[in-house]
Amino acid sequence: MKVLLCCAVFTSALFFSPLVAQNNFNQDAAQVRPQYSATELEQGPEVDGEILNDLIWQSVPAIENLVQIRPNYGQPVSEKTEIRIAYTSKTFYVSVVCYDKDAANIVVSDSRRDASLNDEDSFLFIIDTYNDQQNGFLFGTNAQGMEYDAQIDNEGKGNFNTNRQQGGVIGGTNLNWDATWTVKSQLGDYGWSAEFAIPFRSLRFASGKNKTWGLNFRRNISKNTETAYWTTLPLGFDMKRLSLAGKLTGLNLKNPGNLKLIPYALGQFVNDKSVSPSETDTNFEVGADIKYSITPSLTLDLTYNTDFAQVEVDDQQVNLDRFNLFFPEKRAFFLENAGQFSVGSPGEVDLFFSRRIGIGNDGSLVPIIGGARLSGKVGQTNVGLLSMFTEEVENAGIEKNNFSVARVNHDFQGTRSSLGGIFINRAGLGSMDDDYNRVYAMDGKWGIGNKAEINGFIAKSTTPGIESKDHAYKILANYNWNGWDLRAGYTEVGEGFNPEVGFLQRTAFRKPEFLIWKAHRLKNAGNLLEIRPHVSYRGYWNFDDDLITGFLHVDNHWEFKSGFEVHTGINFTAERVLQDFNISDVTVPVGNYKNEELQLVLITNPNNAFSLDTRTLIGGYFNGKRITNSGTARYRIGDRFNSSLLFSHSDIQLDTGNLTALVGGLRLSYSFTPRMFVQSLVQRNNVSEITSANVRFGWLQNANTGLFVVFNIVKDDNDLDLLNNQIITVKYTHRIDILN
């Protein structure tokens, strides 16, 4: 215990270490953002990756003044970079020349579409097409011409709770947004270059003369673990901070028209070996989606007989506590514009959780008949309407249902402030009149300059038979500037609050929370680049004033110039168990438990062919102790073969028994081209005794359409569970651009 307290004092003292350099970001620089005027062309360039010898591109003025954010904060980019922007009436063009004096050692780690570009030589840009300083579209590539695109809302924020945990469905970065566009790259002695061509019909924007968009660029240089941006950013921010973006001017935009038909055909073979003799079944399905842009900023999506057979399976998890596990949404239809429909507290109180549509409580599939979604922007008001119908599943006791969501959110121009409301409804279409659930909520954000904001929501549910305490609300204040991240908040969920189309990690609680975080850039500290001491707390209390869960976290992150990181933390925990519960077959009895645990995180340089990140917890656990090791080991060969080994091992020793929980997964992928790949995920869970394998072959055309072949195996070692089947699916989708 003395050691823990000494470590806590030492870590806390780092907030005031005299050895660090304070990062005095110039406030005037925050107000004066760089500008660039796009060049309008009658005829676009040939998109082949060739920039230096292209007369059209050489006639366009270049942007060259990128500034490092790491490793040498505020210094010019170490390698010359030239960026140009042009457009025609139908297409938006971006070109980049990334000069490199060591071109032979340019790193390309992954060629798959939407693979991370953080750990290799790459180039990304973001455009805020509404110039609302909140939402945008992110595009990127590497020296092999891979395609990376994402939809950004709420400046990419929202998916972290106060304790820096990723989770929930609240906004942020949506990688499952896939647009139709083209990028080509070229390698040479000078370095590498790339050329983007993005049809305007793939974007959402307001048409008109002399329009202005938000704009920023990012270049990653692997050999230096270097990141540089066009705009000057305070420490701790990235290009998704659109309120600090530069400006792209001189855009004369017309309505391009957009009507797409996306039909699919699917054949499926199922072999069920859980019965004797084994049963086989063959299915054939067809369906279609329609996408129509009513205006350049408002899109209608229609879907019939919706299918998601090509989606990767969920990662297996073991529940080592008594609260709900979160499994993220992976289906592309529901992830497009997901941030627009998101209200609540991420991973804890998500008022709308699209996995409730088409997936039963036990994980079984519920056929989706079809539905519609209207989403986009009218002036400065974000609009979202969704209505979906699901089939009856008689053997699971599931009736036909309609799920409807109506969402309106108004952005106040230039203020980072917004105010909105949402209505969520599930209505059973069977014979019972009282088979429904509704949630009403209002939410808002008050941006206080560039540095601070206050946000929150208040919600009420309506469920037949529940008449009181059916409320939930949250308020959170945040200051984030020059490496400081200060947060304080309060959440309350009433005992009767019941969002059946949402996600609650736990019910009936009151929760105060805070975070104090400071990132320091060091001077003259050798290879040590940055330290990030922080302390956070969250406490869950019931309405009898009992502390159910308390979690105090004291930590420091040590980041080196090579990309290597060490996180050294201490957790002080408190748990009150009001009734016995089981972790697998081990019982945790009623009682009050206070414990301490050490936490150690190691992250090796992700630019290397082999990289590893691990998290270790050692300490008390309820009335005993636990040692947990989890992490991911990654290995790649060139830019085509990537592998990752995922593991989570917990050794728990309690007074009532011992438990070893092991979840392992192996991901393998090989990219024949950026649009042709094979991927596999093999998982094993020793608690549920389930082994599964998911193998997917994809031959993409554009925007995640094309040919998919999927092979799934799920086997339970416990024969009494009757789970042992193999499914082979062949699916083809095609995008028809009717107005092109």
Side-chain angles (χ1 to χ4, degrees), residues 335-547:
L335 283 168
E336 183 171 354
N337 295 315
Q340 173 58 27
F341 295 92
S342 298
V343 178
S345 179
E348 185 173 73
V349 188
D350 288 311
L351 301 186
F352 173 61
F353 184 33
S354 57
R355 278 181 68 106
R356 303 298 185 207
I357 304 174
I359 301 178
N361 292 332
D362 61 353
S364 60
L365 297 181
V366 179
I368 297 176
I369 300 170
R373 176 182 61 213
L374 179 69
S375 59
K377 213 172 182 77
V378 179
Q380 290 298 310
T381 302
N382 301 290
V383 177
L385 300 172
L386 175 72
S387 183
M388 303 292 292
F389 293 86
T390 59
E391 286 277 14
E392 175 186 17
V393 182
E394 188 172 348
N395 59 4
I398 298 175
E399 299 276 358
K400 283 187 177 181
N401 275 279
N402 170 251
F403 299 85
S404 298
V405 186
R407 167 73 164 147
V408 177
N409 182 54
H410 182 77
D411 293 323
F412 296 96
Q413 181 75 28
T415 65
R416 297 198 305 120
S417 301
S418 63
L419 181 66
I422 191 168
F423 170 68
I424 305 161
N425 181 64
R426 181 200 61 80
L429 303 179
S431 57
M432 295 185 296
D433 293 335
D434 61 351
D435 182 15
Y436 66 87
N437 175 261
R438 295 165 187 155
V439 173
Y440 312 81
M442 290 188 65
D443 69 312
K445 179 175 69 171
W446 177 28
I448 306 172
N450 285 316
K451 301 179 181 181
E453 66 183 37
I454 299 173
N455 61 69
F457 74 91
I458 183 169
K460 181 186 185 302
S461 66
T462 301
T463 309
I466 300 176
E467 303 297 335
S468 63
K469 299 180 179 179
D470 51 4
H471 68 280
Y473 66 87
K474 177 177 183 176
I475 185 167
L476 179 69
N478 175 220
Y479 176 91
N480 191 356
W481 198 254
N482 276 348
W484 283 103
D485 192 351
L486 309 177
R487 305 185 191 188
Y490 177 81
T491 307
E492 181 170 307
V493 173
E495 294 166 324
F497 186 65
N498 179 36
E500 292 184 7
V501 196
F503 174 81
L504 286 181
Q505 185 188 51
R506 62 174 83 196
T507 59
F509 66 85
R510 296 176 297 147
K511 174 195 170 188
E513 60 183 322
F514 72 81
L515 167 71
I516 303 173
W517 171 288
K518 182 65 172 82
H520 296 279
R521 276 295 166 87
L522 305 180
K523 286 187 176 180
N524 305 317
N527 291 324
L528 186 60
L529 173 70
E530 182 175 295
I531 59 173
R532 298 186 290 270
H534 56 280
V535 58
S536 65
Y537 171 79
R538 64 180 184 268
Y540 295 89
W541 303 72
N542 66 14
F543 289 89
D544 294 323
D545 292 327
D546 298 318
L547 177 62

Side-chain angles (χ1 to χ4, degrees), residues 308-316 327-330 355 365 666-667 679-683 691-696 710-714 727:
F308 305 102
Q310 77 273 26
V311 175
E312 186 181 60
V313 297
D314 290 321
D315 292 346
Q316 292 189 27
F327 291 89
E329 176 66 87
K330 294 186 177 183
R355 278 181 68 106
L365 297 181
L666 178 63
R667 275 193 172 91
Q679 298 175 330
S680 67
L681 173 59
V682 180
Q683 299 183 87
T691 302
S692 66
N694 173 246
V695 181
R696 302 184 302 146
V710 184
F711 182 40
N712 276 317
I713 301 175
V714 179
I727 302 175

Side-chain angles (χ1 to χ4, degrees), residues 36-52:
Y36 177 82
S37 181
T39 300
E40 187 171 5
L41 303 173
E42 291 293 329
Q43 177 77 31
E46 181 182 355
V47 180
D48 55 8
E50 172 61 62
I51 309 299
L52 295 178

Side-chain angles (χ1 to χ4, degrees), residues 600-614:
L600 178 66
V601 174
L602 298 177
I603 304 172
T604 67
N605 184 357
N607 289 288
N608 295 334
F610 175 80
S611 63
L612 175 71
D613 59 79
T614 67

